[in-house]
């Protein structure tokens, strides 16, 4: 408790020292009666561009960027291949009969870097068409956002089933579109996520079949030998791990996942 109070006192003292220069600058000169406070930074500054668009101050742009970072996990899960990859890895671990190996941290890290590898062409296109021109102050923020949306929209559309897209178009009562590029984003996002879930479970089913056959064979042999009290999982687990290693399972699964995105 004493250490906590001392820490709080030191923090308060540090904050006070940091505030002293600002307080000194805000004092009024007694001789002239004029305040020598420095002018503050304007909170909002809107600049009208020649084409009629509006650009906001850098302070607001940084605030919007920091706010957008809170949506980064949702962006990673809903607009990339992360969902498909992590579900396949989880089903694979369950099929092997391993509860905590590999750990969640290892699976998440592998899924994250594999997602970056698969999404690299999309990210490169966003960087070239939107990010670099915006950093060079060649385009407005709105134009940069629109350019960044196009590659992501095209990737999500290529991985979405037409049946899922039609379903959400009917639910949202959206009028028919002339081209796929005109599909609204609020319709494409849930359709894409639904398609990813369906594809992930299809791949997981194919992975589960060979390990299920091993479990059935081991259980039948143990029952024929009269060893009904012995759990088949104890015997089948080493055989499943050995089979998975012999066929180079990790390379096959990662390669198949990367190829499934076309």
């Amino acid at each position: 408790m004493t250490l906590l109070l001392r820490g709080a006192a030191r923090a308060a003292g540090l904050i006070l020292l940091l505030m002293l220069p600002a307080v000194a600058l805000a004092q009024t000169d007694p001789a002239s009666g004029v305040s020598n406070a420095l002018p503050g930074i304007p909170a909002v500054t809107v600049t009208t561009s020649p084409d009629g668009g509006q650009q906001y101050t850098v302070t607001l742009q940084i605030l919007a960027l920091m706010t957008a970072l809170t949506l980064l996990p949702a962006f990673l899960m809903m607009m990339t291949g992360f969902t498909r990859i992590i579900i396949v890895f989880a089903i694979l671990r369950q099929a092997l009969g391993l509860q905590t190996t590999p750990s969640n941290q290892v699976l998440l890290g592998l899924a994250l870097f594999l997602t970056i590898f698969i999404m690299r062409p999309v990210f490169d296109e966003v960087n070239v068409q939107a990010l670099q021109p915006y950093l060079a102050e060649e385009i407005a923020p709105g134009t940069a956002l629109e350019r960044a949306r196009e590659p992501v929209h095209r990737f999500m559309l290529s991985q979405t089933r037409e049946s899922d897209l039609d379903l959400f178009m009917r639910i949202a009562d959206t009028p028919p579109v002339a081209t796929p590029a005109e599909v609204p984003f609020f319709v494409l996002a849930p359709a894409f996520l639904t398609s990813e879930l369906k594809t992930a479970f299809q791949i997981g089913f194919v992975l589960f079949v060979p390990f299920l056959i091993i479990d059935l064979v081991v259980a039948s042999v143990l029952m024929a030998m009269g060893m009904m009290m012995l759990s088949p999982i104890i015997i089948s687990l080493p055989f499943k791990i050995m089979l998975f290693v012999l066929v180079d399972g990790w390379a096959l699964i990662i390669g198949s996942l990367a190829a499934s995105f076309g």
Side-chain angles (χ1 to χ4, degrees):
M1 187 65 180
T2 304
L3 295 176
L4 183 60
L5 292 176
R6 290 180 180 177
R10 292 176 180 176
L14 180 61
I15 294 175
L16 181 61
L17 289 176
L18 293 175
M19 292 176 60
L20 283 178
V23 174
L25 289 174
Q27 291 178 351
T28 303
D29 189 0
S32 60
V34 179
S35 175
N36 57 1
L38 294 177
I41 300 177
V44 179
T45 301
V46 181
T47 305
T48 303
S49 56
D51 57 356
Q54 292 182 341
Q55 300 185 20
Y56 297 93
T57 181
V58 178
T59 305
L60 288 181
Q61 295 179 15
I62 295 176
L63 177 61
L65 178 61
M66 297 302 294
T67 304
L69 289 179
T70 60
L71 302 176
L72 186 60
F75 166 79
L76 180 64
M77 289 187 295
M78 295 191 61
M79 294 189 290
T80 64
F82 181 82
T83 301
R84 182 190 306 185
I85 296 170
I86 193 61
I87 290 178
V88 170
F89 285 162
I91 294 177
L92 172 64
R93 185 172 65 178
Q94 187 70 25
L96 284 171
L98 301 172
Q99 301 300 323
T100 58
T101 304
S103 63
N104 293 332
Q105 291 82 356
V106 174
L107 290 183
L108 287 173
L110 181 58
L112 177 61
F113 282 102
L114 187 57
T115 301
I116 296 174
F117 173 78
I118 293 173
M119 298 293 297
R120 181 178 177 182
V122 179
F123 293 156
D124 289 343
E125 188 174 353
V126 171
N127 180 58
V128 172
Q129 296 185 1
L131 182 59
Q132 294 303 324
Y134 172 70
L135 294 179
E137 299 183 355
E138 297 176 357
I139 58 177
T143 306
L145 184 61
E146 181 62 25
R147 290 186 180 181
R149 187 191 68 86
E150 293 177 359
V152 178
H153 187 279
R154 187 164 57 249
F155 168 79
M156 295 172 62
L157 192 62
S158 65
Q159 302 299 323
T160 305
R161 291 177 172 83
E162 293 184 4
S163 58
D164 297 326
L165 193 58
D166 292 338
L167 171 64
F168 285 96
M169 291 282 284
R170 292 196 306 268
I171 294 176
D173 196 16
T174 304
V177 294
T179 60
E182 298 177 4
V183 175
F185 190 80
F186 71 90
V187 173
L188 180 60
F192 169 77
L193 190 58
T194 304
S195 294
E196 288 294 289
L197 291 174
K198 188 181 298 183
T199 304
F201 277 95
Q202 288 177 349
I203 298 175
F205 171 78
V206 176
L207 291 176
F208 229 107
V209 171
F211 300 112
L212 181 60
I213 294 176
I214 294 177
D215 288 333
L216 292 175
V217 171
V218 172
S220 300
V221 171
L222 291 177
M223 185 172 294
M225 295 175 62
M227 304 175 65
M228 293 178 293
M229 299 301 294
L230 182 61
S231 176
I233 298 178
I234 300 177
I235 307 300
S236 63
L237 181 58
F239 288 98
K240 290 190 289 187
I241 294 178
M242 180 182 64
L243 174 65
F244 188 71
V245 173
L246 289 178
V247 300
D248 198 7
W250 286 112
L252 288 176
I253 290 175
I254 291 176
S256 299
L257 280 174
S260 67
F261 289 94

